[in-house]
Amino acid sequence: MDYLPIFLRLRARTALVVGGGQVAARKADWLLKAGARVTVVAPQLVAELAIRAAGAELAHVAAPFASAQLAGAALVVAASDDREVNAAVAQSAHALEIPVNVVDSPELSSFIFPAIIDRSPVVVAVSSAGSSPVLARQVRAQIEASLPARLGALARFLGRRRAAVKRALAPGARRAFWERLISGRTAAAVLSGNESAAARSFASELRSAGGSAGEVWLIGAGPGDPDLLTLRALQLLQQADVILYDRLVPDAILERARRDAERVFVGKEAGGEQAQQARINELMVSLARAGKRVARLKGGDGYVFGRGGEELEALAAAGIPWRVVPGITAALGAAAGADIPLTHRRLAHSVTLVSGHAALDDSLDWRALARPRQTVVFYMGVAQLPRIVARLRAAGASADLPAAIVERATLPAQRVLRAPLASLATLAAREQVAAPALLIVGEVTALAPGIAAAAGSGDPELSRAQRPAVGAVA
Ligand code: SAH
């Protein structure tokens, strides 16, 4: 781009036009349309300009150009038929850093006039950067032909209704509403000049859109500590009409939501997981269709063993708009809460997040999980603990491979139990470990400050570290 197209506000500012001929008259007209106070400097004026001067639409200085006339001007046009005068105007304007256009001399100009289509407030400007004004005018003609004559009226009609739409519709629903409106019968009525029909149709479209303006926010609530919510999660919880939450979301997090939001527990119920998921999907869709802003609050992150993908499929199928807000997944919460770095330059070059349920079938490559120099984090593994350990051992993991269980990570009652793989299940049974808990397997679990020696001793009792809260020192 040789020039930046911008739209300049000239209302009540002074624009100087040097020259009193036809070309000057055309430029003066555009400047007047933009609301500028126009002063024309020329010994003589053509009829159009003379009439405007007589009607006080513009000021006339009947004198040769002098640079003092530039004082206070926001913009200058040199449109005289005398090259030397135009050059002098350009020079003075440049010296004062006032934008100047010299008609037919882009090299002397700091701005150029585009070819303009004026359907105010819609304005289209076309430029060829001075290389072919005729081509630019042809492009303008083509665009002009394709634009409805009442385009400006339509823009004004819509502009007057922006505030109402903002009040009635949630941010996520507005754009689709405007798009429907502009291609629908309301716009057609304005363009055909029937504004009262348009106003009625607009009102009814807004009413029915208001009814379907609901949306669903799939929000990761993090591992439990309310301070580990993201800022966005917090903002949306403050706006939600309804909150659908899981078992993993503690009261301390629900307390951060809007006071009068309806709270609906959608955790475990009778009827099996599939049926339960179907009920949640239906609930989200029906609430959103009723115009509600629904916060679907899930422990950790919705896309890590959170069935977020399935819920979004249901929303997409129902045409409900959604947003996804990531959360801190339990593995990251547990890592921070128990001082277990999940990767380590020496000890672990990868982290794998695994579902403990997978210990029940053959969906996992246990030999890959049993290899050294990695960290494996099992979610939902409490009930399967003996089986997980057995499968890892059978796949080649050594009996003394360090491991840890992090129970209620980041919550006030967080517990961290460390033991070599072979004695982990016994320890967990004795300590009555309960969900939610993560099993973390790998050398990094023996690293936490102050416990490394104990973990290496093979005595599960010694390796247990109990921590009251995140960040507290064991
Ligand atoms: N979407 C969640 C995981 C849901 S699956 C996330 O990203 O964290 C449920 C499992 O997550 C639990 O069985 C447990 O293994 C783990 N989990 C969730 N919160 C936990 C917590 N505070 N402490 C330990 N494990 C947790």
Side-chain angles (χ1 to χ4, degrees):
M1 268 202 300
D2 295 324
Y3 293 84
L4 178 71
I6 57 171
F7 291 87
L8 200 60
R9 190 178 182 86
L10 282 180
R11 201 153 295 281
R13 304 194 62 196
T14 300
L16 199 73
V17 177
V18 179
Q22 293 295 349
V23 181
R26 278 204 303 279
K27 301 299 182 200
D29 270 356
W30 283 119
L31 295 168
L32 288 170
K33 275 193 184 160
R37 288 202 202 108
V38 176
T39 300
V40 177
V41 174
Q44 271 153 33
L45 301 180
V46 287
E48 294 115 283
L49 283 173
I51 291 166
R52 293 203 188 287
E57 289 174 62
L58 51 77
H60 179 209
V61 176
F65 170 72
S67 59
Q69 292 155 352
L70 285 171
L75 184 140
V76 193
V77 180
S80 83
D81 49 12
D82 183 328
R83 285 175 156 273
E84 275 174 31
V85 171
N86 287 348
V89 173
Q91 201 181 10
S92 303
H94 288 317
L96 294 168
E97 296 195 45
I98 299 172
V100 60
N101 172 260
V102 181
V103 170
D104 290 335
S105 297
E107 70 287 353
L108 292 180
S109 303
S110 61
F111 76 93
I112 55 177
F113 278 86
I116 297 169
I117 301 164
D118 182 18
R119 301 273 207 287
S120 282
V122 177
V123 173
V124 182
V126 180
S127 149
S128 66
S131 47
S132 175
V134 175
L135 179 65
R137 278 197 288 274
Q138 244 174 46
V139 173
R140 173 188 62 188
Q142 280 167 13
I143 297 175
E144 175 119 54
S146 71
L147 295 179
R150 288 204 177 83
L151 190 65
L154 178 59
R156 284 191 296 276
F157 179 93
L158 300 175
R160 286 194 297 272
R161 285 159 177 84
R162 279 175 71 92
V165 170
K166 219 169 174 173
R167 277 194 303 275
L169 302 184
R174 287 176 201 152
R175 184 167 163 179
F177 172 78
W178 287 121
E179 283 170 358
R180 271 201 311 278
L181 199 82
I182 288 168
S183 55
R185 63 199 161 100
T186 303
V190 182
L191 293 177
S192 66
N194 191 347
E195 290 223 5
S196 57
R200 282 193 303 279
S201 137
F202 172 86
S204 94
E205 287 192 46
L206 184 58
R207 263 197 310 279
S208 56
S212 62
E215 55 185 308
V216 175
W217 306 320
L218 183 71
I219 301 174
D225 181 339
D227 284 350
L228 294 176
L229 282 169
T230 63
L231 291 176
R232 184 167 300 159
L234 208 54
Q235 286 156 7
L236 293 179
L237 284 175
Q238 292 290 329
Q239 296 168 27
D241 301 312
V242 186
I243 298 165
L244 306 183
Y245 65 98
D246 281 344
R247 189 170 29 102
L248 280 173
V249 179
D251 288 346
I253 285 181
L254 292 173
E255 278 164 18
R256 306 270 173 124
R258 203 175 113 193
R259 283 270 158 253
D260 54 348
E262 190 187 336
R263 291 165 172 73
V264 184
F265 175 69
V266 292
K268 273 229 160 63
E269 281 174 48
E273 265 182 49
Q274 240 14 73
Q276 177 196 342
Q277 190 60 54
R279 271 199 298 276
I280 295 173
N281 294 352
E282 276 165 32
L283 190 59
M284 286 191 306
V285 169
S286 64
L287 286 167
R289 287 221 169 110
K292 305 282 191 206
R293 286 164 301 172
V294 182
R296 172 71 178 105
L297 196 56
K298 289 169 170 291
D301 180 87
Y303 283 165
V304 178
F305 305 124
R307 293 186 160 238
E310 291 163 57
E311 296 188 2
L312 288 199
E313 272 172 37
L315 296 173
I320 307 285
W322 71 77
R323 277 177 81 172
V324 179
V325 182
I328 294 179
T329 189
L332 301 185
D339 289 329
I340 298 172
L342 295 176
T343 65
H344 188 281
R345 245 155 52 96
R346 217 166 8 90
L347 304 176
H349 296 169
S350 68
V351 191
T352 309
L353 307 184
V354 182
S355 159
H357 295 323
L360 298 170
D361 54 38
D362 283 323
S363 56
L364 289 180
D365 180 350
W366 290 91
R367 292 177 61 83
L369 294 176
R371 285 196 195 111
R373 270 188 288 284
Q374 63 170 326
T375 306
V376 183
V377 184
F378 290 89
Y379 286 64
M380 302 171 284
V382 174
Q384 308 304 332
L385 195 57
R387 198 184 295 260
I388 291 170
V389 170
R391 295 197 79 157
L392 284 173
R393 296 272 291 116
S398 84
D400 57 4
L401 179 62
I405 293 173
V406 185
E407 189 186 45
R408 294 188 291 272
T410 80
L411 290 162
Q414 169 179 301
R415 279 203 299 173
V416 184
L417 284 77
R418 295 172 210 259
L421 194 57
S423 42
L424 195 68
T426 320
L427 174 65
R430 193 174 75 209
E431 294 294 332
Q432 301 187 342
V433 168
L438 288 176
L439 165 61
I440 308 181
V441 179
E443 305 277 349
V444 290
T445 58
L447 267 183
I451 59 92
S457 75
D459 181 346
E461 192 60 48
L462 271 178
S463 67
R464 176 177 155 184
Q466 194 157 353
R467 329 187 88 219
V470 187
V473 177

